[in-house]
Amino acid sequence: MNKKKILIIDDEQINLDFFDVMLTRLGFQVLMAVDGEEGLEMIREHVPDLIILDNIMPRLTGWELTKMLKKDDAFSDFRNIPIIMFSAMDAVKDKIEGFELGIDDYIIKPFNFSEVLARIRAVLRNHELSQQVVLREKRLTITDSLNKSLIYFTEHLKSPVLGMVESSKSLDVSDPKAVESFKQLVMAEAEQTLAALGGLEDEVKNLLVSEGSVRKAELSLEELEERFREHFRELHDNAGESA
Amino acid sequence: MIDDTKREVLRLFAAGRELYKKRAFKAALEKFKEAYTLDPTDEPSKLFGGRCKHYIQNPPDDGWDGIFQMQTK
């Protein structure tokens, strides 16, 4: 299983150290940055699965960083990385602003580590679920185009065959000229039928290739749960620890 | 009864497919275009017309097997 990458951005070294030890023990890959600018570099370089961010930092604040990630087109590749924001301020206005910017959770310092872990789990799980929904939607779209293609290529198949049937009804087999022109017609109609079949075949293969790549990324709900159980089986052992 | 328009569309589509398989995308596009100008509801011609446009801009590899690879993001 691939380790989930969590990036911690905090100007207090003690917090970084604490998260590093605890989250590494739980099987996460921990990345750290001491300010927003360094954080941005790390995001670009490592594309973490989750960002935990202090809101008050020198240089680039948590707010500013969040705003860049969510709104700036230069960072559109990182827009969907979930963010948990930390704050020493329990101000409703700040929380609302954070959520409006698109953060996934907001934690007040000082925090209880078990609670933080539970929140990390919830955020990662939600994120994974919404990605699975997107994948399934893609697959639905593919199935939908397949259905449509079947219908419209069938139109191309029907006509030539009907044409042959029609001509054969009025064919006078004793007239060599008529037989010859019937033969020409059958050849032409067969060619069109084969062209439509070839087109349909292409289309079906193409859709199957895309469907396969989407399916590969899909997880069942059980697999999803299993993935998270791995990381959080120690959750209870750590209950009570705080920073 | 099959009307003459449909027949012509099918003929053009078949001609377009032949050219398409030979990687003559510009010539193929002309055929597909003619087909869907005659019958704007003809989806197969539109579909392959679109692919020709794509391949004119981004020629496929030498190993191209005629299968269009959908560009997914």
Side-chain angles (χ1 to χ4, degrees), chain A residues 152 156 159 163 202-203 206, chain B residues 2 17 42-43 51 66 68:
Chain A
Y152 61 60
H156 271 213
S159 312
D202 264 22
E203 179 61 3
N206 167 43
Chain B
I2 301 139
R17 277 284 303 170
D42 192 62
E43 293 297 331
R51 287 185 186 172
F68 184 77

Side-chain angles (χ1 to χ4, degrees), chain A residues 41-64:
Chain A
E41 286 301 303
M42 299 284 270
I43 290 166
R44 273 217 193 90
E45 196 177 328
H46 299 282
V47 196
D49 297 295
L50 171 70
I51 300 167
I52 299 179
L53 187 63
D54 195 6
N55 68 348
I56 300 168
M57 287 184 297
R59 297 162 84 177
L60 209 54
T61 67
W63 299 116
E64 288 163 344

